[in-house]
Amino acid sequence: MIVILFTRNFLGVHTPQDVLVGCIEGLLVFLLLSRFQGWIRQHPEKDKMVLLIGLAAVAAALAYLCLKPYPVVYVEGELVADPADMMHDGIKTCGAFAGMLSGWFLERRFVRFTTDCSGQEKVMRAVTGIVLLLSGQVFLKKGMYAAAGRQTGGFLYGCAGILLVVFVIPLIHRALWNLIGNRKKGSV
């Protein structure tokens, strides 16, 4: 991580102040999320409230992204800051946050993923997870953008991509492992 901090300055893409503020912001987010995890462990019944507040924040961020004016920046006659790209990146990030929140809620309620398992199950999780993630990302991106256009497709792609990782893949792992366990019990 330290190397990344220096490369931002060396490449000229950020000032030292940008890097410092980014580090402070990252540290604050880390501390807030650590406190939040402790609080939600003590109050698991509040997960629905957290989901609704988070989705309301996503809706507010989407409204802001769609209503705010974006600068159009040209350098030597070349467009370097495209407003459509800036809006798209923000909308896709909102989708990812909505997917993370929804996946977190669904995983807590229906999957309850744990790392307390055998080595064989961990290998099965890794292999199926990689296959599902790679194939899901390819098909999701093409499908979402083709079906819904650039902005809405970006939101859906961001949402579905994170939801796939946080909820769908662990759900499939659990179903596969239960199927394997039931077959072993039937053959004994």
Side-chain angles (χ1 to χ4, degrees), residues 23 40 44 47 60 79 92 100 110 117-118 120 131 157 161 166 176 185 188:
C23 289
I40 200 69
D47 61 351
L79 182 64
K92 191 166 74 172
M100 185 274 305
F110 302 109
C117 60
S118 68
Q120 181 184 13
V131 169
Y157 173 64
V166 176
L176 285 173
K185 288 178 187 175
V188 172

Side-chain angles (χ1 to χ4, degrees), residues 144-158:
M144 299 293 179
Y145 282 92
R150 185 164 191 234
Q151 302 300 4
T152 305
F155 178 85
L156 294 173
Y157 173 64

Side-chain angles (χ1 to χ4, degrees), residues 114 116-126 173-174 177:
T114 179
D116 297 331
C117 60
S118 68
Q120 181 184 13
E121 185 175 355
K122 288 178 183 176
V123 169
M124 189 263 317
R125 284 178 178 181
H173 284 153
R174 190 172 104 182
W177 200 250

Side-chain angles (χ1 to χ4, degrees), residues 175-186:
L176 285 173
W177 200 250
N178 286 343
L179 182 66
I180 290 169
N182 289 338
R183 282 192 177 173
K184 284 183 180 179
K185 288 178 187 175

